[in-house]
Amino acid sequence: GIFGWIRKLGLNLEHLLVGYQMGMQTGDIQHAMFNAIQHIKIGFISGQNLIELEKKVLMFGKEMTEYNQMTSYQLLLTIKQAVTDLILSTNDPAVLNRKNIEQKSLLKQALDSNKMALLSDMYIYGGVVAYIFCAFDLALALVKKRQEMEQSMSRTSLLYGATAFYDGLIFLAKAHTPTECEEISEMSSIMSKMERFVQIGKHNCEHKMFLLEAEIKGKMGDHDEASRKYEMAIAAAGKSQFFHEQAIAYERAADFFLRINEQKKASHYYGKAHNLYLQWGAQGKADHLCKNIPF
């Protein structure tokens, strides 16, 4: 609801949990499961610890199957896969193969039954995880698939500004020159949306806006302004306790400083990002960062 926009997202978690509990106590199972799904979605996008979130996913998932709430369960699985991907740190072929089979099965179910809301969630959370793991080509492909599908949807998932934010980061990750950056028509729309979202909910969206602006300035070669905006994004994310997106801001800032040959600062910021990913519970991402930074 509106309170999700105007106050810190994390403050809604307890109310949604109460809604779930009331639904279960009164026998209104659909109401309970709606609140459970919203609790998990907001928990994910607000940066709740992934280990704790995984425990809740498993608990809610068990009840959804027991009460035959399969639509809710399918929506839950999209977030479960994202959480698992971020936590998982393994090269075990059996584990990776099982995960791949689960993802393909869920996608097939969504396509066969034409469940556009489920497909949209799969594309959104899949795109977020792909971006975080720097699989930018995959992330962009998922965004484009979702946008194409959204043309026939009456309502799309804004996720309190998170959808537009990650779309913007993904488009900017694929813009290698100032000209490309300016020619991405989607960015104009995304930045307009983010400006409105900041006006509605500064706590949830201001740091997102700063990071997008930093990425744009960096692509355009305005190093001083890019550096300033990265610092503003990092500070605002910390103040609002979006520590997972503070980690992303540190990593993008480190990438920027590496490009302009400020290696000492880049190394320091990669370290900050690594620590925050661990704090989030994203062991898989933390390990990925260690393997891919050039130090």
Side-chain angles (χ1 to χ4, degrees), residues 11 19-20 29 31 41 43 46 64-65 69 74 77 97-98 102-103 109 121 127 170 177 194-195 228 241 256 274 277:
L11 296 178
Y20 157 77
I29 304 302
H31 178 77
K41 282 187 175 184
S46 65
M64 287 171 185
T65 54
Q69 299 292 308
Q74 287 176 331
L77 286 180
N97 185 56
R98 183 170 67 250
E102 290 173 354
Q103 290 175 336
Q109 291 174 44
D121 277 6
I170 290 164
T177 67
M194 291 307 303
E195 287 173 5
R228 190 176 76 88
Q241 298 182 314
F256 165 73
H274 178 265
Y277 284 129

Side-chain angles (χ1 to χ4, degrees), residues 230-246:
Y230 281 122
E231 298 294 349
M232 291 171 69
I234 288 165
K239 183 178 179 181
S240 295
Q241 298 182 314
F242 280 77
F243 298 120
H244 64 312
E245 289 174 353
Q246 188 180 36

Side-chain angles (χ1 to χ4, degrees), residues 51-62:
I51 306 301
E52 295 303 315
L53 198 62
E54 185 180 44
K55 293 176 183 176
K56 293 178 183 178
V57 166
L58 294 173
M59 179 190 73
F60 290 142
K62 183 179 178 182

